[in-house]
Amino acid sequence: MADKTVVLGGSGAMTSSCVYDLHKHSEFEEIVVADADDTNAKRLLELIDDDRFSFEPVDATDAEDIERILADADYLVNGLPYQFEKNVLTAIESVGGITGVDLNAFDFDQVLGQSETLADTGNSLWFANGGLVSTIALGMLACDHFDNVDTVNFYWGMWRLLTQTTPGLTDTVTYEHDPNVDERIVYEDGEIIKDFPPFGEPRDFEFPEPMGEQETYLITHTEPVTFPKAPVARETDVNRVVTRGVWHPEWRQYEETLHAMNAFDADPIEIKGVEVDPLEVFQQQIKTEGRETEWRPPEQLSPETQWTPQTILSVEVTGTVDGAEDKAVYHFEQPFPFFDGNDITLMREYGCYVGVPLSVTLQLMADDEVGSDGVFVTETSGLDPNRYFEAMESRGFELRPETLPAGAIPAGEQ
């Protein structure tokens, strides 16, 4: 493995761990961290202290500037906020010959609709990457224990305080609770059912500690759209796919308050001659309170809670084996500390459940173990879930089988 890799937005909370993992595990000859935040990018490179890495400033609002950064690149990690996806795709198409992974999972139909165009210029882009790779791989493992599958329940346990956030995470959580968003969906009997309300389809689920049993509810994730395309889903005739999530109670209280105030549909109000959006005011307050700039050693990251914010990803599959009904439950937990005890920010430690899959999957693509032309998703990538979890566990992540059908062999022990 050689050549040049560009990590767009590489010093962000979700992508810093990708950069760190590329430092520790990849054989790429040159890795460029392209970001608008030169302070944090340079701080991250100082921590890594690896001659293969360099920093380049980039203006994500300008497709031509992204094209400049990608001009001689072979590999790409796109960790920019979803608002810049169009500019990234324009730059990739213009440059051509790019193999990359893309954190974005919004504007799904539009991005996948550009697959043929990007393939024509020699590009290969793994869309909806990050944490979604882990949930889909969990679903693949669990379904493989069954002859026929009735329901695949995906669960995202996102456990951090209201003041432990980033601007991007704040916007994402609130988007997922917006009553005007029609992306809360369920796959059932070969159909996509849309327009579920926020907090819809509630269901209790037992996560590992520190979360424990929680009431989960539908979130705007893409598994119900994409998972039925997985070979194992087709082989086992998956009937129903649902994705639920839960946040720390502080976040739920905040989102419920926004609903109670009708903040999502409120008209702008005038304050001292200036019109302001009430929702934006509340969002900005959360972003300001949650802004974390100090890099600290792990033992000082979250002293007020005595635990570090984390995400636990789980799957529960029900179906039949040899004519008998049964169930499989897997959990996937992130390590702490991921950055080997180096000074880092709280949200960068939290974000390793997103950043490390970006690095692992890019390296699998570079080694020709997975991939496809144009734009594709995990289900159509040819990914071997056992190979993926083997790579993730070598980085300290834990795959935990809780319940398996009688006689089933846990993943990794086959």
Side-chain angles (χ1 to χ4, degrees), residues 218-250:
L218 290 189
I219 58 176
T220 60
H221 276 226
T222 61
E223 291 98 337
V225 173
T226 61
F227 191 73
K229 305 178 190 300
V232 71
R234 296 197 302 268
E235 292 164 7
T236 57
D237 293 323
V238 168
N239 180 60
R240 195 167 194 261
V241 181
V242 185
T243 301
R244 296 179 177 88
V246 63
W247 289 262
H248 189 279
E250 290 186 359

Side-chain angles (χ1 to χ4, degrees), residues 13 160-170 251 282-294 296 345-347:
R160 64 185 190 275
L161 302 181
L162 186 62
T163 55
Q164 295 168 337
T165 188
T166 68
L169 287 172
T170 302
W251 277 100
F282 289 117
Q283 290 288 95
Q284 188 57 49
Q285 175 64 18
I286 299 299
K287 295 174 184 179
T288 301
E289 288 297 314
R291 193 177 304 278
E292 183 195 31
T293 58
E294 184 180 356
R296 295 176 288 174
T345 63
L346 189 68
M347 286 296 98

Side-chain angles (χ1 to χ4, degrees), residues 51-84:
D51 290 341
R52 297 178 299 155
F53 287 74
S54 62
F55 166 71
E56 277 286 339
V58 64
D59 179 3
T61 67
D62 185 349
E64 291 185 357
D65 202 43
I66 298 174
E67 182 179 339
R68 172 185 64 83
I69 296 293
L70 297 181
D72 56 351
D74 304 282
Y75 298 100
L76 164 70
V77 175
N78 178 29
L80 292 172
Y82 64 87
Q83 296 94 327
F84 305 115

Side-chain angles (χ1 to χ4, degrees), residues 150-154 182-197 199-203 217-228 238-244:
D150 178 35
T151 301
V152 181
N153 288 298
F154 292 104
D182 64 356
E183 296 173 17
R184 286 173 290 272
I185 58 178
V186 169
Y187 172 86
E188 188 166 9
D189 294 329
E191 302 287 340
I192 295 294
I193 306 171
K194 295 185 176 182
D195 296 329
F196 286 91
F199 309 104
E201 293 286 297
R203 191 169 190 263
Y217 47 85
L218 290 189
I219 58 176
T220 60
H221 276 226
T222 61
E223 291 98 337
V225 173
T226 61
F227 191 73
V238 168
N239 180 60
R240 195 167 194 261
V241 181
V242 185
T243 301
R244 296 179 177 88

